[in-house]
Amino acid sequence: MLPSIVKAILFLPWCLALPVPPGTDLKGWDFVKDYFHHFFLTKKELPLLTEGEQIRFLQQFFSLNVTGLLDKQTLDMLRRPRCGVPDVTDYSISPGRPRWNKLTLTYSIINYPFGMKPSTVEDIIYDAVSTWGNVTPLIFQQVKGQDADIKISFWDFEHGDDWPFDGPGGVLAHAFLPSSETPGVVHFDKGEHWSTSYRGINLFLVATHELGHSLGLYHSGNQNSIMYPTYDYQDPRTFQLSVDDIRRIQQLYGRKMFI
């Protein structure tokens, strides 16, 4: 059975768009099928959709021009660096609204990426958790070692959770929801060029996104949201959560009370 969000989008009026023409680049189609399987459907569900339906779904999901054609705009979007958390969640695993049942959360940084001082990484993670703490009653405390609610680490390729990394570009990081078997676990691809600026991949932006998952947020379809699945650089010095981000995190934990 297809996830409800997939069925809902597939039965929108644009489902009558033109079919995919013959002679389409097979390499491109293989990439799209792998992408669709990885982030949206299982291999068992994938044959239930035609190639044209898969393309139209992706175009609708990412707010692109819905044509059903594998065009440059669509491929460019799918090839952008992104979070490894699937876009259509299996709600049988994480029903309802997953959240922590407490407001004081500890976090630890297990190891560090190449080319960054540990103190720099610690400052960045502090800023990222503070971004969510500034709009909720959540209080974050850094601790040492593995005994923490949120555990942050950097890994290369296969690292034991069935979500292998792929080196520079592609999948940047992933995190597990509070209701999962490994709540609060946040993994970053150690092969990325992590940075504090627009060069490479900005660690603050990705950390803020992944911490959103670790607090219970799914991906957002709002391109202004930090929880949008693909990476887009913003200046961390002027960064602010979107209205959508604030509304959703406050639905889980409430508003911050100022004295």
Side-chain angles (χ1 to χ4, degrees), residues 138-171:
L138 290 168
I139 298 172
F140 296 93
Q141 298 174 346
Q142 184 177 358
V143 297
K144 300 293 184 181
Q146 299 274 356
D147 189 17
D149 298 311
I150 298 172
K151 293 171 278 292
I152 297 164
S153 54
F154 295 79
W155 301 95
D156 286 311
F157 302 107
E158 179 59 56
H159 52 281
D161 63 6
D162 295 326
W163 286 11
F165 287 126
D166 51 10
V171 173

Side-chain angles (χ1 to χ4, degrees), residues 39-58:
F39 297 111
F40 292 95
L41 296 180
T42 66
K43 289 182 178 179
K44 182 179 180 180
E45 294 167 332
L46 194 58
L48 300 177
L49 300 179
T50 67
E51 291 177 341
E53 287 172 334
Q54 292 176 48
I55 290 296
R56 290 192 290 273
F57 173 83
L58 291 169

Side-chain angles (χ1 to χ4, degrees), residues 224-241:
N224 295 321
S225 168
I226 192 62
M227 298 310 298
Y228 193 68
T230 62
Y231 173 82
D232 187 27
Y233 176 76
Q234 304 175 59
D235 189 338
R237 295 170 297 183
T238 57
F239 171 81
Q240 292 183 326
L241 293 174

Side-chain angles (χ1 to χ4, degrees), residues 97-143:
R97 296 190 300 173
R99 65 185 297 276
W100 294 92
N101 61 3
K102 54 185 177 180
L103 296 178
T104 297
L105 298 173
T106 57
Y107 70 93
S108 63
I109 304 172
I110 308 302
N111 62 5
Y112 298 86
F114 300 116
M116 254 190 196
K117 294 179 180 179
S119 60
T120 300
V121 176
E122 290 171 7
D123 288 344
I124 289 172
I125 299 301
Y126 174 82
D127 289 342
V129 296
S130 296
T131 297
W132 296 109
N134 289 339
V135 296
T136 66
L138 290 168
I139 298 172
F140 296 93
Q141 298 174 346
Q142 184 177 358
V143 297

